[in-house]
Amino acid sequence: MSPVAPRIRRRAESPCDGAWPAQLPPLLRRVYAARGATSYAQAQPKLGSLLPPDGLTGLDAAVDLLQAAIRERRHIVVVGDFDCDGATACAVGVRGLRMLGAERVSHAVPNRMIHGYGLSPALVEELAALRPELLVTVDHGIACHAGVAAARARGWPVLVTDHHLPGAQLPPADAIVNPNLPGDAFPSKMLAGVGVIFYLLLALRRRLYGDHPDREDQTAAIHGRTSRQERPDLSRLLDLVAVGTVADLVPLDANNRALVAAGLRRLRNGQGCAGLRALAEVCGREASRLTAADIGFAIGPRLNAAGRLEDMALGIECLLTDDLARARELAGVLNGINAERRAVQQLMTDDAEAALARARLAEGALPLAPCLFDPEWHPGVVGLVASKMKERLHRPVLAFAPAEPGAGLLRGSARSIPGFHIRDALAAVDAAHPGLIPRFGGHAMAAGLSLELAQLPAFERAWQAHAARMLDDDLLQAEVLSDGELLPQEFDRFHAEALRDGGPWGQGFPEPLFDGRFEVLDWRTVGERHLKLSLRHPARREPLPAIHFGGWHGNAPPPQLHLAYRLAPDDYRGGAAIQLVVEHALPA
């Protein structure tokens, strides 16, 4: 199935006459300004500009719980989640609490196939063997009403740290820290789960060691550099914060960019934890040149694969070990699981394409918001299938699989397009049909839900009716925002490296993308799905090499193309080599 052809639209030009370093290329200034950064300080925020934790609702109660647990040597169990954000948040929680003096800290993580999502009653039952005296959830909990209630019924205090949108009622936890709680005064609502627990650790250390934001800037507050030199250096956790933040696809507002940039600096300087260094090695990434894209496309998927097909306990162990040899062993296992995940994903994606082709043939058109199910699918991979089909069709997509083989309960993942808030859409269906959806949660662009198999037809009717009310032709038109054309002299290694290193780029602060018309001089297929191209720019004599991943659809490219592309250093060829990485190709 060929992807829906997008419309390429150029970003409006913005003035870039603020305070910029003299050595910064005009191209990068233009790119920053187009993203709303009118000065270098806004484009490259530092730790010193990080928001203080004070505005987070529930912070004092949460710090009270942790301080008492540390003072009384209680057993703290950090309960993670089975995605990359949840795994890194768990590692940050365990490492950070130990740094701050907690002597009895353990961790646990649900197994997707056994416990389901988050702090469930089934997981609480299993945790009884650990005899916890305080549960701390990371990256989940805000929707885990039954699990929180089950834990408290056993006499365990529960501290929820999360960033997902809350429902109408909050779980009965002893304390909740979540920037998206109603009335929360924290200015950035974009923290990932790993960012929330990191902020809680900052607040806890301030309580334990007496540092105060009025007496130091945020850089010193994170590093622990004041007159009290014995305070732990929490900046050692920023590599994990960066990986979880990027992998969870939260918008990179200025606050998140400061966190991610600081974490990337640690990784590039060889200061990352053993597990992340080992994962970079197994991915074939050069540590000194790591970017947010390397996290998103290489490191993050290998951690996520453990939670999708196996047990995220493997991933968390990799992030917690300080033994590099053990980290490399675990990274190798995670790499193998990821290869298996790719194969399963491809088979499921092929099934989804075939199902949609049959639907188009039977109905004469695709559903507005496809709802896909196959009894043979793996529940850990349906989110990737939904994401892939959403990208190809530019429509909201839901994909379901049995929660376990032969089960009557389905687990679903939903992925959306700009302008269609997927969690709010599920909430609207739930409100109109009470009891139809046993459980759901998520964000604007991604959500998860459970559903009884027998209710799938009723849910699909309700879902399509809501989609018909909310979706129109404008929303269904895929659009790519371009930073315009590159000047002929900007096709060089200097500008390619400046763009690569000018991030971190990601959600809400997108990697620079340019467009232009090119003549196709030569082409060949690479692997089964990719195109290698030799192109000529109208104002350049030398040909330009290009790669279009997933660009082969069985037909030769036309002689003239209108491309949306990224300019990248070609590290494989080295030297001054560059290449264009094609994102979209349209006939000129």
Side-chain angles (χ1 to χ4, degrees), residues 284-296:
R285 297 306 199 267
E286 178 63 43
S288 63
R289 293 198 295 259
L290 275 177
T291 65
D294 293 320
I295 293 173

Side-chain angles (χ1 to χ4, degrees), residues 44 174 199 216 338 346 417 466 500 556 563 578:
Q44 292 285 289
D174 295 84
Y199 261 90
E216 58 187 342
N338 189 57
Q346 188 58 59
I417 58 176
H466 179 76
R500 178 194 65 193
L563 301 179
I578 61 169

Side-chain angles (χ1 to χ4, degrees), residues 3 8 31 36 91 99 115 128 142 167-168 242 252 293 329 337 343 381 427 452 502 507 529 583:
I8 298 174
V31 166
M99 290 167 67
H115 307 107
I142 202 67
L252 294 189
E329 179 185 348
I337 297 172
V381 186
E452 294 290 338
Q507 295 292 315
R529 298 174 177 269
E583 296 290 341

Side-chain angles (χ1 to χ4, degrees), residues 227-397:
S227 58
R228 304 174 70 96
Q229 290 297 323
E230 72 277 10
R231 292 185 306 143
D233 181 3
L234 294 181
S235 74
R236 290 163 51 194
L237 303 172
L238 287 171
D239 55 335
L240 293 162
V241 175
V243 169
T245 299
V246 171
D248 210 47
L249 300 178
V250 294
L252 294 189
D253 61 3
N255 205 62
N256 278 338
R257 291 206 310 280
L259 291 170
V260 172
L264 280 171
R265 283 194 296 273
R266 290 191 64 82
L267 288 166
R268 290 170 182 163
N269 293 335
Q271 297 173 315
C273 67
L276 291 180
R277 299 203 312 270
L279 284 167
E281 286 178 10
V282 82
C283 296
R285 297 306 199 267
E286 178 63 43
S288 63
R289 293 198 295 259
L290 275 177
T291 65
D294 293 320
I295 293 173
F297 293 106
I299 294 175
R302 282 161 175 79
L303 277 170
N304 272 326
R308 294 185 186 282
L309 298 188
E310 296 284 343
D311 186 348
M312 184 49 92
L314 285 169
I316 295 173
E317 183 184 353
C318 184
L319 299 178
L320 285 175
T321 184
D322 293 321
D323 181 339
L324 186 56
R326 177 61 176 158
R328 284 171 170 156
E329 179 185 348
L330 290 166
V333 173
L334 293 170
N335 192 52
I337 297 172
N338 189 57
E340 180 186 354
R341 185 274 306 167
R342 283 199 303 264
V344 171
Q345 178 186 344
Q346 188 58 59
L347 288 172
M348 289 170 58
T349 301
D350 291 344
D351 289 344
E353 289 188 343
L356 287 168
R358 290 193 297 270
R360 175 181 278 169
L361 188 63
E363 303 295 332
L366 285 171
L368 285 175
C371 188
L372 304 167
F373 166 68
D374 191 299
E376 301 300 319
W377 282 358
H378 193 293
V381 186
V382 287
L384 299 175
V385 173
S387 180
K388 183 67 69 175
M389 302 315 298
K390 180 266 297 186
E391 292 170 5
R392 294 189 185 182
L393 302 175
H394 194 71
R395 292 170 186 238
V397 175

